[in-house]
Amino acid sequence: MVVCFGQPIQALGVAKVLVSHHPEFVKDDLVVGFIHWGDYSVQKVELLRKLDPTIQFPLSYHLGVLGFNGLTAYVGLFEICKPRKGERVFVSAACGSVGNLVGQYAKTSGCYVVGSAGSNYKVTLLKEKLGFDDAFNYKEETDFKSTLQRYFPDGIDIYLDNVGAEMLEAAVANMNKLGRVAACGVIAEYTDGGKRAAPKDISIGLETIPSAFTGLFHGHNVGKKIVKIADE
Ligand SMILES: NC(=O)c1ccc[n+]([C@@H]2O[C@H](COP(=O)([O-])OP(=O)(O)OC[C@H]3O[C@@H](n4cnc5c(N)ncnc54)[C@H](OP(=O)(O)O)[C@@H]3O)[C@@H](O)[C@H]2O)c1
């Protein structure tokens, strides 16, 4: 979703062309791309891709497995992590749009796959419908490092990280030699400012510049040193 103040909200969607002023698009073409929320909208062609009418999948597939998240899962697992038969794969946010595909793709490569998710319903779904070998509810765990030791007594070969934060630290602590981690996203850090890994160290006033500068050589700063000389 793309939100700009004063502009219609855009999100990935499938739409039908009703009127076109561009030679590559004609009435009744189906397109996928960033489309304004609304029954009708005027779109720039740069943000649209024409759908091949011979592909007979449901239109919703173009927003899922055939869309960005399908590509993300494919690249993260196959291009970056390069799974081999028998390797042990951990996927966080495993019931999300990327994670569920990563797990299913990893199973097609003959891997042992464990996913984490935020409810017992999702855990059951992963194990009983999506073919994961095992899964756990991270909200019921208190120490992710020992949780992962329990699920991966022989270590993790591949971690597809969708969440960052403590789960990433725990997974890294359990990785095998020559293991691979694909950093796909850090959803656990998007909304919790307390977990951000970019502290700022601000001193106020022009007169603080010399001490701010020399302080760098004595380790006085925590994170990026900034001197504020005027209000925004
Ligand atoms: N979709 C894409 O094409 C794409 C592309 C590049 C990167 N990414 C990144 O990949 C990650 C997953 O995206 P997605 O599209 O698969 O997600 P999604 O379908 O939007 O689902 C997000 C899931 O993340 C879990 N979650 C939310 N807050 C969490 C927290 N604090 N700790 C742990 N899990 C949390 C929730 O499931 P639970 O019930 O399990 O908590 C939620 O259902 C995100 O970080 C995203 O930024 C996605």
Side-chain angles (χ1 to χ4, degrees):
M1 187 196 301
V2 181
V3 181
C4 300
F5 289 112
Q7 302 286 326
I9 296 174
Q10 287 185 325
L12 198 64
V14 173
K16 184 185 266 189
V17 175
L18 297 182
V19 177
S20 169
H21 297 296
H22 191 282
E24 283 175 28
F25 294 85
V26 296
K27 185 173 180 306
D28 292 333
D29 275 348
L30 289 170
V31 294
V32 63
F34 280 95
I35 290 167
H36 297 148
W37 284 13
D39 293 324
Y40 304 95
S41 66
V42 178
Q43 297 294 150
K44 290 185 177 167
V45 291
E46 298 82 46
L47 299 178
L48 300 177
R49 178 171 58 81
K50 197 154 45 167
L51 291 182
D52 180 347
T54 62
I55 297 179
Q56 295 294 317
F57 291 113
L59 292 180
S60 59
Y61 281 30
H62 296 282
L63 306 176
V65 66
L66 301 178
F68 280 150
N69 52 314
L71 194 59
T72 302
Y74 184 92
V75 170
L77 184 70
F78 292 117
E79 300 285 328
I80 295 174
C81 295
K82 302 190 189 310
R84 290 186 291 264
K85 190 174 177 191
E87 285 193 313
R88 289 166 291 262
V89 177
F90 174 48
V91 188
S92 53
C95 250
S97 72
V98 175
N100 89 85
L101 293 175
V102 170
Q104 294 181 76
Y105 292 162
K107 285 307 299 174
T108 67
S109 297
C111 296
Y112 176 80
V113 183
V114 177
S116 63
S119 72
N120 293 336
Y121 167 74
K122 289 183 178 180
V123 167
T124 304
L125 198 67
L126 289 169
K127 292 197 286 190
E128 295 184 4
K129 296 269 187 226
L130 297 178
F132 282 57
D133 295 288
D134 217 333
F136 64 89
N137 180 351
Y138 69 89
K139 290 180 181 167
E140 291 183 345
E141 303 291 331
T142 50
D143 176 1
F144 292 159
K145 197 172 160 187
S146 55
T147 303
L148 291 178
Q149 268 163 7
R150 210 165 70 233
Y151 284 91
F152 294 96
D154 298 319
I156 300 169
D157 298 304
I158 290 174
Y159 175 41
L160 203 303
D161 181 26
N162 284 313
V163 303
E166 289 92 346
M167 193 63 90
L168 172 59
E169 289 173 21
V172 167
N174 279 281
M175 292 303 292
N176 287 330
K177 280 185 185 160
L178 302 179
R180 286 85 73 203
V181 177
C184 178
V186 289
I187 198 163
E189 300 178 33
Y190 294 155
T191 53
D192 187 346
K195 287 183 185 158
R196 284 185 193 149
K200 290 176 292 187
D201 183 339
I202 301 177
S203 53
I204 312 286
L206 203 59
E207 67 282 5
T208 67
I209 290 179
S211 60
F213 180 66
T214 56
L216 297 176
F217 299 95
H218 299 285
H220 293 167
N221 62 304
V222 177
K224 176 65 183 165
K225 183 70 203 176
I226 294 171
V227 177
K228 183 176 182 180
I229 55 174
D231 289 327
E232 287 181 26

